[in-house]
Amino acid sequence: MLLMKTTTLFLWFLLPAFLLHAQITEGTYRTGSDSLSLKDQHAIFRISGFTGLSVAQVGEGKYEQVGDFLIIETGEYSGHKSTSRVLPASRGDSCVVKVVDNGNYPLPTILVESLSKSGKVLEGKVTDQAGKVLFTETDKIGAISVSGMGYHGLTLEYEPAKDYLVLMAENEVLEQKTVVFRCNRIDEETLSLLMLSDDFEMGKNRDRELQKLQKKARRSNRIDKRMKKVYVPYERKF
């Protein structure tokens, strides 16, 4: 009987600490230019550095907390994304693709690929200092793919006798993907956040697959981010 009372008292005192650790309160958390906003089961995030490169990843969607794991099912991103404009052809049967940033400055070394109607890569080129590539064999082109590290890539449908101006938005946009973070509440104001996967496949046993992600992160000694809660309206800056 005494042992039962002792155990009950121990669990009673332990419960608040457990809840503090487990429950993540809604709000916006930031560190530097990175942020995580949680409201009404909807998450918006901008996270950099977890890909091993200085590339920021952004996304938004419904989220679920499973123990220490924060699972976000990303949908369509409402922030800045890359866009394209169709222009009259300037070189007969050829196709010119010009790639610029949001300030309209040419972007060199961006990969531009011509694709067949079935999605097969026909030809791949890199933009020059003027941000341009030229495709001369256009008969089999069904689409054009534009991608660059640190930018939101896009694929556009090809129209004969047309050129294209592509405006590339910064950040890798994660859409229609399952993103997993290890997310611990340090105190009332602080979260510890570590991205475990930007394209998680649940499989038949979700919990087992999540534990595999956790073990992989431990083996690679990946460093988490400490994010502080801010009490201002969420402003998208990316």
Side-chain angles (χ1 to χ4, degrees), residues 1-16:
M1 189 69 174
L2 179 61
L3 178 61
M4 183 179 296
K5 289 183 177 179
T6 303
T7 302
T8 302
L9 286 172
F10 175 76
L11 292 175
W12 177 261
F13 285 111
L14 182 63
L15 182 59

Side-chain angles (χ1 to χ4, degrees), residues 12-198:
W12 177 261
F13 285 111
L14 182 63
L15 182 59
F18 173 77
L19 291 176
L20 177 66
H21 173 75
Q23 299 301 315
I24 303 171
T25 57
E26 291 188 348
T28 297
Y29 300 83
R30 290 180 179 166
T31 178
S33 59
D34 292 339
S35 64
L36 171 68
S37 177
L38 305 173
K39 184 177 181 180
D40 299 331
Q41 294 304 119
H42 188 82
I44 302 175
F45 62 88
R46 180 196 188 277
I47 300 294
S48 62
F50 287 132
T51 60
L53 301 167
S54 57
V55 173
Q57 295 173 294
V58 298
E60 63 179 285
K62 293 182 179 180
Y63 74 89
E64 175 187 6
Q65 186 183 356
V66 180
D68 290 341
F69 302 103
L70 183 69
I71 304 173
I72 303 174
E73 298 289 348
T74 62
E76 183 176 356
Y77 183 60
S78 60
H80 296 302
K81 296 194 292 185
S82 297
T83 59
S84 63
R85 287 168 49 193
V86 181
L87 305 172
S90 57
R91 296 198 179 191
D93 294 333
S94 299
C95 174
V96 176
V97 180
K98 182 176 181 179
V99 185
V100 299
D101 63 15
N102 285 330
N104 208 37
Y105 290 101
L107 286 175
T109 70
I110 298 293
L111 177 62
V112 183
E113 296 175 308
S114 60
L115 309 176
S116 67
K117 290 180 175 60
S118 63
K120 180 181 178 181
V121 176
L122 300 173
E123 189 175 8
K125 296 186 176 184
V126 174
T127 55
D128 60 18
Q129 291 301 311
K132 295 181 178 181
V133 298
L134 173 66
F135 293 108
T136 55
E137 299 180 5
T138 60
D139 293 344
K140 297 181 180 180
I141 296 179
I144 294 174
S145 171
V146 184
S147 60
M149 187 174 296
Y151 292 94
H152 171 224
L154 81 167
T155 300
L156 48 100
E157 184 177 350
Y158 173 73
E159 298 180 37
K162 299 293 183 182
D163 289 345
Y164 297 90
L165 176 65
V166 178
L167 287 76
M168 295 286 279
E170 292 185 345
N171 304 324
E172 179 186 352
V173 178
L174 302 177
E175 293 181 315
Q176 313 307 325
K177 296 181 182 295
T178 301
V179 179
V180 179
F181 294 98
R182 186 182 69 199
C183 189
N184 293 327
R185 185 176 172 188
I186 305 302
D187 55 40
E188 291 285 350
E189 308 294 325
T190 312
L191 289 183
S192 167
L193 194 70
L194 177 66
M195 178 180 277
L196 300 180
S197 175
D198 59 11

